Amino acid sequence: METCILEAVVSTQSTGGDYAVCVCNNSGWSVGVDIMKVELRRNTTLETFFSHMRGQFTPLEWDTIRGSGDNQLFSFYRHWCLKESYVKTIGTGLKFGLQRIEFHLGGPLDREGGLCETTRVLIDGVRQDDWVFEERSHDGHITAIAIQVPGSGWKEGGAGMSILHFSDLSISPVELGERDYFNLFNAKKELPG
């Protein structure tokens, strides 16, 4: 089996449903990404599923999810992807208290091909102006990218999500020998931060 790497830096990745997503970042900004397929799992009802997830969202977020009519599951996964992308960016994963994070959705997200860049986040009730979230829906999936942008370095449309196929990623791969791959792996930090 051949191993190859891209010249861009893959900062973060996620898999969900039928897709894998990665964010390549050469800006120095902290980024995180999550993707989920919008589906009810484990032969459960929406009410049972939501009751198991009750503690993961703030009362305002639940009001938004529950107030979205026939789109409650879509709204749920939209909020979930936002939270996951945020905690991946800060490097804590789900250890960070998810009720400390509250998302104020910036607008509707069309179920097929929609894009939203105006969602904002509050941490412990304080708006975080150095965070940008790019959300996209495609083929029954939701993707959220969290980007921590110091100062005023963000330009609208800055992340630019694109759907790539494997052939797009393997145009000019660089083959690594077994020792090179081990050295890359061994150079990784054990713990974030």
Side-chain angles (χ1 to χ4, degrees), residues 6-135:
L6 300 173
E7 289 185 29
V9 177
V10 177
S11 298
T12 181
Q13 61 82 33
S14 179
T15 59
D18 303 322
Y19 291 92
V21 62
C22 70
V23 175
C24 298
N25 173 22
N26 61 3
S27 67
W29 297 337
S30 298
V31 297
V33 66
D34 194 46
I35 185 169
M36 293 293 294
K37 185 172 186 175
V38 180
E39 66 182 355
L40 195 56
R41 299 185 179 141
R42 298 185 193 121
N43 297 327
T44 189
T45 66
L46 189 64
E47 294 304 318
T48 302
F49 178 60
F50 282 179
S51 71
H52 289 300
M53 301 301 286
R54 176 78 40 212
Q56 308 308 318
F57 299 98
T58 67
L60 177 78
E61 290 170 327
W62 275 117
D63 287 347
T64 303
I65 292 167
R66 290 307 211 161
S68 54
D70 292 339
N71 292 313
Q72 290 182 45
L73 194 60
F74 184 84
S75 183
F76 171 89
Y77 279 116
R78 186 176 175 189
H79 281 86
W80 184 258
C81 285
L82 287 163
K83 289 195 183 227
E84 281 271 355
S85 68
Y86 177 82
V87 297
K88 287 178 180 180
T89 304
I90 64 173
T92 63
L94 297 177
K95 288 182 179 180
F96 192 88
L98 294 184
Q99 287 212 1
R100 295 179 58 199
I101 311 166
E102 182 172 271
F103 283 96
H104 293 207
L105 300 182
L109 183 62
D110 185 4
R111 290 179 71 94
E112 289 303 322
L115 171 68
C116 180
E117 294 179 312
T118 55
T119 292
R120 295 294 170 245
V121 65
L122 283 75
I123 306 299
D124 298 326
V126 177
R127 182 177 158 143
Q128 306 297 303
D129 290 325
D130 59 339
W131 286 87
V132 176
F133 296 88
E134 184 171 303
E135 305 167 75

